[in-house]
Amino acid sequence: MALIPINRPDGAVITCDTEKRSLVYNRCVVSFTKAEWKIFYCLFERNPGVVSRKELLEVLWGEDKIATGSTNTRTIDVHVGVIKKKLSKIKGFRIDTIYGAGYRLLLTKRV
């Protein structure tokens, strides 16, 4: 099991379980689908950098499918919306939409 501790600015620790594709804080567990996890983990690894929709599409489906033009960036928007909703259960994360650039994941204090 690959457990990664994520330290929030307020000192709390959220456990990231890469095998189960989940985040755990206290007794609250947030689970992700494979696609959601790929997007979340890509944003997490690049934190606090911006990740473009095109990069996220490549993470999900690979460059070959992107090159054929058979994908839609709206798919990413929908997945990110679901991820934001799931992350609201444990707080400590914020995903910002950066107009014309993509998305950025930030660690925040729980409020």
Side-chain angles (χ1 to χ4, degrees):
M1 183 183 321
L3 298 175
I4 301 169
I6 301 171
N7 298 309
R8 280 196 327 221
D10 61 3
V13 178
I14 298 167
T15 304
C16 175
D17 187 336
T18 58
E19 286 184 10
K20 293 183 180 178
R21 298 185 315 268
S22 64
L23 298 173
V24 180
Y25 178 69
N26 286 338
R27 291 186 217 167
C28 184
V29 178
V30 176
S31 298
F32 297 93
T33 65
K34 286 182 183 181
E36 292 165 356
W37 183 255
K38 286 179 180 181
I39 292 169
F40 168 79
Y41 205 74
C42 180
L43 291 168
F44 172 70
E45 286 182 317
R46 295 272 294 275
N47 168 309
V50 176
V51 182
S52 72
R53 285 178 176 84
K54 183 180 179 194
E55 289 175 274
L56 292 173
L57 283 170
E58 289 173 1
V59 165
L60 284 181
W61 293 291
E63 289 183 41
D64 295 338
K65 193 164 183 179
I66 304 304
T68 64
S70 61
T71 59
N72 185 339
T73 59
R74 181 70 182 128
T75 302
I76 297 299
D77 300 338
V78 171
H79 282 302
V80 169
V82 172
I83 294 167
K84 284 181 178 183
K85 187 173 182 178
K86 288 182 177 187
L87 290 177
S88 71
K89 293 178 185 175
I90 58 172
K91 308 281 188 225
F93 297 98
R94 186 176 85 218
I95 298 177
D96 292 337
T97 303
I98 309 301
Y99 183 76
Y103 294 100
R104 172 179 58 199
L105 177 73
L106 298 171
L107 296 175
T108 62
K109 292 182 180 181
R110 185 176 178 153
V111 287

